[in-house]
Amino acid sequence: MMGLAAIQAATDSFSDQNKLGEGGFGTVYKGRLAEGKEIAVKRLSETSGQGIVELANEVTLIAKLQHRNIVTLLGCCLEQSEKLLVYEYMPNKSLDIVLFDSSKSARLDCKTRLKIVHGVARGLLYLHEDSRLKIIHRDLKASNILLDDDMNPKISDFGMARIFGDNQIDANTNKVAGTYGYMAPEYAMEGIFSMKSDVYSFGVLVLEIISGTKSSCSHSTEPDASIQQAWKLWSQGRALELMDASVAESSDADRVLKCIHIGLLCVQENAENRPSMTSVVVMLGGNSTELPRPIEPMSSAGRALSLSVSDEPLL
């Protein structure tokens, strides 16, 4: 736990000058502790859909995780009416802020984008297989990937994450929580989530990182146009045209093509056809060009979603 007074002093009483960003959960502020350490404070608003259950879930999970590609939780505070989470400060903020801003995206050259893909893959593998817990993130997206001063990625925001038992394959919920465009079909339509639904989200993220284009599915009845475009170019042997034009000249063609191929494998309609994160990390790091051929991904048109920002906890 961390005292409210210390957090208020660190953030200059949550001044607007220290505001890093905001979302449905509330606002994130930059701060500096008395000893000089920089922090990021996630302050949940009273109207936030992410309530005490999700906050407790995030604290319980992330406090047990230690990996270079997982954000570090430094403390929390539940004094008075405040609900605060204190994290290590990430000077380059979140991936979406850089990736989807044409004035900033050139900072992400090809080498850096590939580093981010590899880092997120290793972090997700840790959650699924290598940590003391088997964790399904359920909300992997560009805004939940933070970047340190060397542009190393760190997975953040575990409010929707769930712990699986050692032999558990999947789980079902009647309250789907997440973000349009990143949801696996079985999760969006049937509420079934698993490691393979996280793999789907990772695949969408990979295609976004390579293309610099945000997933275009913003409603349940819209097709995943960005995924369909990636498939069309790949199947026609023109996959490199997907690469963000601002960094195309710096591209490592073979590695970019491999990432696009792996991204398409991860967004397969049938969860059983998607690779595990173990396989993904092996494919990303290996020299073999012999990868399984993906099947044309489905359109999401006609999906019937019922989104909610909360869910029954499994903790």
Side-chain angles (χ1 to χ4, degrees):
M1 296 293 287
M2 190 173 289
L4 177 59
I7 297 174
Q8 287 176 324
T11 60
D12 192 19
S13 296
F14 305 108
S15 70
D16 286 344
Q17 287 184 333
N18 285 324
K19 186 183 293 186
L20 294 174
E22 56 188 320
F25 59 84
T27 308
V28 178
Y29 296 88
K30 181 181 178 180
R32 186 184 294 273
L33 297 175
E35 63 269 27
K37 185 177 182 62
E38 291 185 314
I39 58 174
V41 180
K42 182 177 178 179
R43 186 189 195 191
L44 273 67
S45 69
E46 294 184 1
T47 59
S48 170
Q50 184 175 8
I52 192 66
V53 173
E54 286 78 13
L55 181 139
N57 189 58
E58 184 159 0
V59 172
T60 302
L61 285 176
I62 203 168
K64 299 176 181 178
L65 303 175
Q66 292 188 347
H67 189 274
R68 64 175 298 182
N69 297 118
I70 304 293
V71 70
T72 300
L73 179 69
L74 301 176
C76 65
C77 177
L78 298 174
E79 289 185 37
Q80 300 178 23
S81 60
E82 296 285 2
K83 298 192 289 286
L84 307 168
L85 294 174
V86 181
Y87 292 97
E88 59 178 328
Y89 174 64
M90 294 288 106
N92 285 306
K93 303 181 182 179
S94 58
L95 175 60
D96 64 315
I97 291 175
V98 184
L99 184 62
F100 303 133
D101 185 333
S102 58
S103 67
K104 300 176 182 178
S105 60
R107 294 171 57 198
L108 299 174
D109 60 16
C110 181
K111 181 179 179 180
T112 300
R113 293 181 194 227
L114 294 172
K115 179 173 73 171
I116 292 170
V117 168
H118 282 239
V120 175
R122 288 191 296 266
L124 199 54
L125 172 60
Y126 171 77
L127 295 177
H128 288 180
E129 301 287 352
D130 295 338
S131 71
R132 290 179 293 170
L133 306 170
K134 182 189 290 187
I135 296 172
I136 313 303
H137 189 278
R138 293 208 305 167
D139 199 22
L140 189 72
K141 57 184 177 181
S143 60
N144 286 339
I145 305 300
L146 303 182
L147 301 172
D148 70 10
D149 52 357
D150 291 322
M151 289 294 187
N152 293 305
K154 294 177 182 277
I155 299 172
S156 70
D157 200 335
F158 288 78
M160 297 180 185
R162 293 294 176 263
I163 296 174
F164 270 23
D166 288 341
N167 298 317
Q168 187 174 359
I169 297 174
D170 57 31
N172 187 277
T173 178
N174 55 14
K175 293 182 179 179
V176 176
T179 304
Y180 288 117
Y182 293 91
M183 287 186 182
E186 71 278 4
Y187 182 42
M189 296 187 288
E190 303 175 59
I192 298 173
F193 61 93
S194 66
M195 289 185 288
K196 292 298 183 73
S197 55
D198 273 358
V199 170
Y200 183 95
S201 301
F202 173 77
V204 174
L205 183 62
V206 168
L207 297 177
E208 287 184 333
I209 291 170
I210 296 300
S211 67
T213 303
K214 187 173 180 59
S215 175
S216 60
C217 181
S218 59
H219 191 275
S220 61
T221 59
E222 292 180 358
D224 292 319
S226 56
I227 294 176
Q228 296 294 329
Q229 175 68 2
W231 165 262
K232 177 182 177 181
L233 291 174
W234 182 85
S235 62
Q236 294 177 352
R238 301 160 51 208
L240 285 178
E241 293 179 26
L242 190 69
M243 186 72 184
D244 188 337
S246 68
V247 295
E249 291 184 2
S250 67
S251 68
D252 180 331
D254 289 341
R255 295 179 69 198
V256 170
L257 287 171
K258 181 187 286 189
C259 279
I260 295 171
H261 192 149
I262 292 171
L264 288 170
L265 288 172
C266 290
V267 296
Q268 297 292 275
E269 175 181 355
N270 189 331
E272 294 182 357
N273 292 334
R274 298 172 208 148
S276 66
M277 288 310 302
T278 300
S279 296
V280 167
V281 170
V282 169
M283 287 188 288
L284 284 171
N287 295 320
S288 173
T289 57
E290 293 300 320
L291 302 179
R293 181 177 177 82
I295 301 168
E296 182 175 1
M298 69 173 288
S299 163
S300 65
R303 288 183 188 173
L305 299 183
S306 177
L307 286 177
S308 172
V309 294
S310 63
D311 186 18
E312 67 281 7
L314 300 184
L315 296 175

